[in-house]
Amino acid sequence: MARNKHPEVTVNRILDTALKLFLKKGYEETTIQDIVDHLGDLSKGAIYHHFRSKEEIISAVTNRMVQQQPLNQITEDHSLTGLQKLKKVFVVSLSNSEQRQLYRSASAVMKNPKFLSEQLNEYITVQAPQLQKMIREGVEDGSIASNPSKELSEVVILLFNVWLNPGLFAADKEQFTNKFFFLKRLLDHLGVPVIDQEISDAFKDFCDGVFA
């Protein structure tokens, strides 16, 4: 079978199909059988060969979204200052329409302890070090006036991805907007003035999508 010869192709097909269904029907309403039916040529057993549960599938879907963001490409763009790199990362994240829809359709699973634990590990072990590198570059080129510490990068990534995640903490549009601008004031105070008009506009579009 194809999954034995090219397992990565099968995995990506499962994730592509699952994402489409999660966004169309909602995570809770989508079943493994729905994924099987839409794939057409795989059995439940073939899916369970790669994923033990629907929770594992959405975890893989979410991680792939993060990995597909051009973070490494931004990090290695030597034409940008450290602050410009940070801004670009924020804009790319806020402009991800699929991620925005997933927050709306799968808010319950976002709060699942196992799922959240996996996401937190990804933020701290993968994303925070990349953020720290950008902050350090910003300090060196003069665009950021802050200490490029491990703690600062971890706090920023957790505030942005967890505290400001509408799938984790219920808030109306006004409360969510207040949190965003509090984060702006905090980052300005810490010497990381990353939230400018472009990011504010991207946030407004993100907000409109989440609270539509």
Side-chain angles (χ1 to χ4, degrees):
M1 293 179 66
R3 65 183 174 87
N4 293 323
K5 293 180 180 179
H6 305 289
E8 71 284 354
V9 173
T10 302
V11 166
N12 280 321
R13 287 185 61 217
I14 293 170
L15 297 182
D16 288 342
T17 300
L19 176 59
K20 289 176 183 176
L21 288 170
F22 292 159
L23 297 181
K24 181 179 180 180
K25 297 183 63 175
Y27 171 78
E28 298 296 338
E29 300 302 320
T30 299
T31 65
I32 295 292
Q33 188 60 51
D34 289 332
I35 298 172
V36 170
D37 292 344
H38 279 75
L39 283 165
D41 60 347
L42 291 180
S43 65
K44 274 189 178 182
I47 291 181
Y48 283 125
H49 174 78
H50 297 285
F51 302 100
R52 288 176 295 181
S53 64
K54 192 171 69 166
E55 288 77 12
E56 277 199 4
I57 292 176
I58 194 171
S59 180
V61 164
T62 306
N63 286 336
R64 191 179 65 164
M65 274 186 178
V66 172
Q67 292 163 6
Q68 287 177 340
Q69 292 181 2
L71 192 56
N72 289 332
Q73 181 181 341
I74 295 170
T75 303
E76 300 304 320
D77 187 346
H78 301 298
S79 69
L80 301 175
T81 66
L83 183 62
Q84 288 171 332
K85 289 179 181 181
L86 277 178
K87 289 180 178 179
K88 201 163 186 179
V89 168
F90 272 52
V91 169
V92 167
S93 180
L94 287 168
S95 301
N96 189 326
S97 60
E98 288 186 340
Q99 182 173 293
R100 182 167 61 229
Q101 286 178 267
L102 200 61
Y103 283 156
R104 294 178 61 190
S105 66
S107 59
V109 76
M110 296 283 175
K111 300 175 184 177
N112 178 283
K114 183 176 182 295
F115 178 85
L116 184 56
S117 175
E118 291 174 354
Q119 295 304 303
L120 289 172
N121 183 65
E122 171 79 12
Y123 298 147
I124 295 299
T125 62
V126 179
Q127 295 188 34
Q130 293 174 315
L131 198 72
Q132 184 182 7
K133 181 181 178 182
M134 295 180 202
I135 295 174
R136 183 180 295 113
E137 288 178 4
V139 172
E140 291 172 356
D141 63 38
S143 61
I144 293 175
S146 184
N147 175 16
S149 67
K150 178 176 181 287
E151 293 78 14
L152 175 62
S153 62
E154 290 178 355
V155 165
V156 171
I157 210 75
L158 290 175
L159 286 174
F160 191 75
N161 285 313
V162 179
W163 183 69
L164 201 62
N165 184 336
L168 284 174
F169 298 106
D172 60 28
K173 189 173 183 179
E174 181 180 2
Q175 292 169 331
F176 191 54
T177 300
N178 288 341
K179 290 175 74 171
F180 176 79
F181 284 105
F182 174 83
L183 180 57
K184 169 179 167 41
R185 293 194 299 273
L186 178 62
L187 293 177
D188 287 347
H189 179 73
L190 291 172
V192 190
V194 64
I195 299 178
D196 60 4
Q197 190 58 52
E198 181 183 10
I199 293 176
S200 296
D201 290 342
F203 172 78
K204 183 180 182 301
D205 291 339
F206 178 87
C207 234
D208 289 344
V210 169
F211 296 98

